[in-house]
Amino acid sequence: MSLQTVMTVGALEDLRALLGDRLSTSQAVREHHGKDVTYHAGHPPDAVAFAESTEEVAEIVRVCAAYKVPIIPYGTGTSLEGHIAALHGGVCIDLGRMNRILEVNDQDLDCRVQAGVTRKQLNEHLRDTGLFFPIDPGADASLGGMTATRASGTNAVRYGTMRENVLGLTAVMSDGRVVRTGGRARKSSAGYDLTRLLVGSEGTLAVITEVQLKLQGIPEAISSAVCDFESLKGAVDTVILTIQSGIPVARIELLDEVQMDACNRYSDLDYPVRPTLFFEFHGSPGGVHEQSESVAAIAAELGGGDFRWATRQEDRSKLWQARHDAYWAAKALRPGAEGWATDVCVPISRLAECLLATKQDIRDSDVLAPIVGHVGDGNFHLVYLIDLNKPEEIAKAERLNERMVNRAIAMGGTCTGEHGIGYGKIAFLQAEQGEAVTVMRQIKRALDPDNIMNPGKVLRV
Amino acid sequence: MSLQTVMTVGALEDLRALLGDRLSTSQAVREHHGKDVTYHAGHPPDAVAFAESTEEVAEIVRVCAAYKVPIIPYGTGTSLEGHIAALHGGVCIDLGRMNRILEVNDQDLDCRVQAGVTRKQLNEHLRDTGLFFPIDPGADASLGGMTATRASGTNAVRYGTMRENVLGLTAVMSDGRVVRTGGRARKSSAGYDLTRLLVGSEGTLAVITEVQLKLQGIPEAISSAVCDFESLKGAVDTVILTIQSGIPVARIELLDEVQMDACNRYSDLDYPVRPTLFFEFHGSPGGVHEQSESVAAIAAELGGGDFRWATRQEDRSKLWQARHDAYWAAKALRPGAEGWATDVCVPISRLAECLLATKQDIRDSDVLAPIVGHVGDGNFHLVYLIDLNKPEEIAKAERLNERMVNRAIAMGGTCTGEHGIGYGKIAFLQAEQGEAVTVMRQIKRALDPDNIMNPGKVLRV
């Protein structure tokens, strides 16, 4: 047996004593926990530990630390850049059973949840409080996972991302220490911002077990609308002008004609197969009216059709569910194909140029790749629909992706607006952040000297 | 000569060769650079280096690193917890000459400045663009210093603090490496959030030399108002209800009757000497009207008098200048006394309880201590006006401060909402953050192994 195998066997024995049945080494469970929803190759962990408390996570980490066995935290497995693949084996800690909502402070618009609570579960729980939690990646992800990957979604243009909405957290460090960062105050200048350091650290610095979140009051008035455009450029320019005018839209989403076709088919809709914007406006009735009039005027100037309104809750839900299902709709366009989801984010002034050049690249290839985007932030997504048995298709998608990401970086943007680095974008992080990556590496070494925390992600140590 | 003296002499020789006249060892310059505006004892550095570029800062840091001589970054010297005191001697790097505005991207609502640019200088520069930078601590501080101390001010309730408004920065690490963090994209999930780690690190991890900032569009309509109250509780409850109702006030500031008296005298105003709220509303004309009506209705219910409006730019400027001069007005209440400014921040639901208990403590002592606060965030300030020649006065202020800070922490708040830790609040940081401080210390050791970056601040290593 290799040393690594010996160490792993030792760790699993100790964990079995600790967890009993809640340590699984079954192949099905391991494979399920090593593969996310996109094309990146899965790597099953050696075992999956189903933790039930912060203290239990700490004990698991202490065992793994003693044997120098890798640890991979797992929420719902819906990340997109191979974050949960056990590249070096080790123990996956499934936090799904830590799904208690610990407190809701309605007067302070905040709450505290265990890491395994999902965003939909939280909003269901909040239903009667008049409050909601706005961050909404497509999947019903866990709030711990969303924190670890600095998730955002359609509401980010108004409410920010997990960066702005996590007030503090509880985390288990690589030696099993439990730390609580941040607090409930809306602002603080007390010491280093460990909360923000751990938000987006993708399990490579600590295992997040609890999260304190900001909540928002449900707006008095909410109105959604759909508007199709003659050209992609008209749609994107509408977004740019809307943002530059300071209109506080709550959501402004772009779907190109390929994606609209996919959504119509998948979600049983009948929208024109043209570049389209989905809007949502939040505020007082007067404010919503004012915002929507302003945006409609901009759209009309730029080749937009009439606004199709959805004001009833059920119509709005159907609309946004269709948007959230965009990835699955895209996949259904080519049965049997794998979806490779990717994203970039650029300053809003460069959005049209970046999007149109990307669209042209796709046209010039024969890869099917619908475009959707949280365009109010300058963020957009592609799904390359490829046959993994055809290396030439993978190579083509890789070329397209590299061109798009490098273009975004050259425009002052980022290699990922919300999907994260995982193991899919490590080289692009280096290209984007340069020397700053050496500082990230110093922090990684300091907080995880044995490189057991989700090794092989974000950085190569 | 001690080893430290030998090393310092060596460093100063090398720096003299590098900087010529721009290295000063004059006593007046040294003393000026070692003392901030509040009561904390000053400690002059051994020399002051006037840097003119990031590369020059890097060279200075490399010299200091070679001799293991401390480095203290300096903006305008307006911090409040002894941040700039050269506790262990060393070289102060004055960044005031790095005062160029490098770019303004009006279409993207962002800009890039050198660290020595002050907030007023930036807003003056932006005057014709329709944009402004909202963060406004009382002093006309440098944007580098504001970044390093995670400053906020009166607009934070609507626009956030430096944490939310710094998109990226350039920093010189303790070995002279120059890194550029973040970027111009509005959001990113690319790697560790080094920007947020350095925001608020108070010069203990790096010297910040350039900052990329978010800008805001100047609202179509702005209106300010003043409203006095029968009781402090009525004023605070008005704040709480306003925030809980989700009314997007731009500013909501509390001044107790002692501070109002001080401001009337210092700024030649004639407001009633009663607990008072200063408001500002931003938005469309309709939105501003709607907000102010809502708040006026809340205030009327809680013992508030009529709103006195300031809609003309010059009246608004006078009002807010008086607010920004509150510290100097407080000091003028007791000529010859020193001002000890302190602040805490609590969840909004605890604000009344925290403020009223603090007020009672002050009444029970015979210390003069006006209260002002950015109360929309749950943040308030005290200035203890004490005679430094009377140890019993210092002791009384220390007791008051300890009670207030511990109360705030016990309520889920923070030992400082915006003043920072410096060397004045190190013990309170420990009390508030507990085990998390050990993680801060690991990061400090990793990024500054010789403890030369503003040693003795934030943490004891």
Side-chain angles (χ1 to χ4, degrees), chain A residues 11-12 15-16 18-25 29-30 33 45-52 56-57 59-61 64 71-74 90-98:
Chain A
L12 296 194
L15 290 175
R16 174 79 62 198
L18 182 68
L19 300 168
D21 283 355
R22 289 188 289 109
L23 186 78
S24 173
T25 52
V29 170
R30 290 166 49 230
H33 282 78
D46 294 305
V48 179
F50 293 88
E52 294 187 342
E56 200 167 79
V57 171
E59 287 181 30
I60 296 167
V61 170
C64 290
I71 293 157
I72 305 103
Y74 181 100
V91 175
C92 169
I93 304 181
D94 185 320
L95 297 145
R97 297 186 188 184
M98 291 181 61

Side-chain angles (χ1 to χ4, degrees), chain A residues 108 177 192 204 284 349 438, chain B residues 108 177 192 204 290 349 438:
Chain A
D108 294 310
R177 251 176 319 159
Y192 305 158
T204 64
S284 65
S349 68
T438 65
Chain B
D108 294 310
R177 249 176 321 158
Y192 304 157
T204 64
E290 199 173 70
S349 68
T438 65

Side-chain angles (χ1 to χ4, degrees), chain B residues 32 56 88 91 108 112 123 179 207 235 247 250 268 279 288-289 325-326 329 361 363 382 392-393 408 411 421 430 433:
Chain B
H32 173 71
E56 202 167 76
H88 304 277
V91 175
D108 294 310
R112 191 167 187 88
N123 278 322
V179 304
V207 181
I247 302 166
D268 191 24
F279 296 99
V288 163
H289 181 72
D325 287 339
D361 275 358
R363 278 204 200 94
L382 247 62
E392 69 278 16
E393 289 199 15
M411 290 178 170
I421 300 297
Q430 182 68 54
Q433 293 285 319

Side-chain angles (χ1 to χ4, degrees), chain B residues 72-334:
Chain B
I72 305 103
Y74 181 100
T76 57
T78 46
S79 50
L80 298 168
E81 289 288 355
H83 296 76
I84 56 169
L87 299 179
H88 304 277
V91 175
C92 169
I93 304 181
D94 185 321
L95 297 145
R97 297 186 188 184
M98 290 181 61
N99 62 354
R100 280 190 301 131
I101 294 163
L102 302 170
E103 56 182 48
V104 174
N105 306 297
D106 56 345
Q107 291 202 307
D108 294 310
L109 289 81
D110 74 48
C111 71
R112 191 167 187 88
V113 301
Q114 288 186 313
V117 172
T118 71
R119 64 179 183 91
K120 287 187 182 171
Q121 180 193 346
L122 176 59
N123 278 322
E124 190 63 37
H125 182 89
L126 294 172
R127 179 163 282 186
D128 300 325
T129 62
L131 302 175
F132 77 114
F133 179 70
I135 316 300
D136 64 336
D140 185 23
S142 70
L143 292 158
M146 287 168 61
T147 303
T149 56
R150 205 182 295 133
S152 49
T154 65
N155 286 302
V157 63
R158 176 150 178 159
Y159 299 101
T161 72
M162 292 304 276
R163 180 175 74 190
E164 287 80 23
N165 286 280
V166 175
L167 290 165
L169 47 81
T170 301
V172 177
M173 307 308 294
S174 69
D175 56 3
R177 249 176 321 158
V178 176
V179 304
R180 197 160 162 160
T181 73
R184 292 187 53 229
R186 280 292 152 141
K187 67 183 196 187
S188 171
S189 50
Y192 304 157
D193 192 345
L194 297 182
T195 304
R196 247 55 56 179
L197 179 66
L198 295 181
V199 170
S201 63
E202 302 188 5
T204 64
L205 299 178
V207 181
I208 294 166
T209 60
E210 289 180 18
V211 193
Q212 192 90 32
L213 296 166
K214 276 192 204 172
L215 300 173
Q216 301 287 336
I218 294 176
E220 206 185 336
I222 302 180
S223 201
S224 301
V226 176
C227 178
D228 59 271
F229 286 77
E230 289 164 20
S231 69
L232 190 61
K233 181 158 178 15
V236 179
D237 285 343
T238 297
V239 174
I240 294 174
L241 263 178
T242 299
I243 297 300
Q244 289 176 347
S245 307
I247 302 166
V249 282
R251 290 166 153 167
I252 184 165
E253 295 285 310
L254 172 75
L255 297 86
D256 76 351
E257 71 286 357
V258 186
Q259 183 68 53
M260 282 308 291
D261 183 37
C263 287
N264 279 344
R265 291 163 195 254
Y266 187 86
S267 300
D268 191 24
L269 302 171
D270 62 349
Y271 290 107
V273 179
R274 303 216 298 177
T276 301
L277 293 176
F278 286 15
F279 296 99
E280 193 160 273
F281 305 101
H282 291 180
S284 64
V288 163
H289 181 72
E290 199 173 70
Q291 291 171 45
S292 54
E293 293 276 296
S294 305
V295 175
I298 293 171
E301 288 285 320
L302 292 163
D306 290 338
F307 274 38
R308 278 173 64 173
W309 290 97
T311 41
R312 287 190 312 164
Q313 167 74 45
E314 64 197 84
D315 295 336
R316 283 192 281 112
S317 293
K318 189 173 179 193
L319 180 66
W320 293 109
Q321 191 57 49
R323 170 61 191 88
H324 280 135
D325 287 339
Y327 176 68
W328 304 109
K331 278 194 76 170
L333 278 182
R334 189 179 172 191

Side-chain angles (χ1 to χ4, degrees), chain A residues 183-375:
Chain A
R184 293 188 52 229
R186 280 293 152 141
K187 66 183 196 187
S188 171
S189 51
Y192 305 158
D193 192 345
L194 297 183
T195 305
R196 248 54 56 180
L197 179 66
L198 295 181
V199 170
S201 62
E202 302 187 5
T204 64
L205 300 179
V207 181
I208 294 166
T209 59
E210 290 180 16
V211 194
Q212 192 91 32
L213 296 167
K214 275 192 206 173
L215 300 174
Q216 301 288 334
I218 294 176
E220 204 185 338
I222 302 179
S223 202
S224 301
V226 176
C227 178
D228 59 271
F229 286 78
E230 289 164 19
S231 69
L232 190 61
K233 182 160 179 11
V236 179
D237 285 344
T238 296
V239 175
I240 294 174
L241 262 178
T242 298
I243 297 300
Q244 289 176 348
S245 306
I247 302 166
V249 282
R251 289 165 151 167
I252 183 164
E253 295 285 309
L254 174 74
L255 298 86
D256 76 351
E257 71 286 357
V258 185
Q259 183 69 53
M260 283 307 291
D261 183 37
C263 288
N264 279 343
R265 290 163 195 253
Y266 186 85
S267 301
D268 190 24
L269 302 170
D270 63 348
Y271 290 107
V273 179
R274 302 216 298 177
T276 300
L277 293 177
F278 285 16
F279 296 98
E280 194 161 272
F281 305 100
H282 291 180
S284 65
V288 163
H289 181 73
E290 200 173 70
Q291 291 172 44
S292 56
E293 293 275 297
S294 304
V295 175
I298 293 171
E301 288 285 319
L302 292 164
D306 289 339
F307 274 38
R308 276 173 65 172
W309 291 97
T311 40
R312 287 189 311 163
Q313 167 74 46
E314 64 196 83
D315 294 337
R316 284 192 281 113
S317 292
K318 186 171 182 196
L319 180 65
W320 293 110
Q321 191 57 50
R323 169 61 191 89
H324 281 135
D325 288 340
Y327 175 69
W328 305 108
K331 277 193 77 171
L333 277 182
R334 188 179 172 192
E338 187 53 274
W340 171 1
T342 182
D343 82 318
V344 293
C345 187
V346 294
I348 196 86
S349 68
R350 310 300 295 274
L351 180 62
E353 189 184 349
C354 191
L355 245 169
L356 295 172
T358 300
K359 182 82 180 169
Q360 189 59 49
D361 275 358
I362 297 168
R363 278 204 200 94
D364 292 346
S365 75
D366 53 1
V367 176
L368 186 59
I371 295 177
V372 291
H374 310 313
V375 278

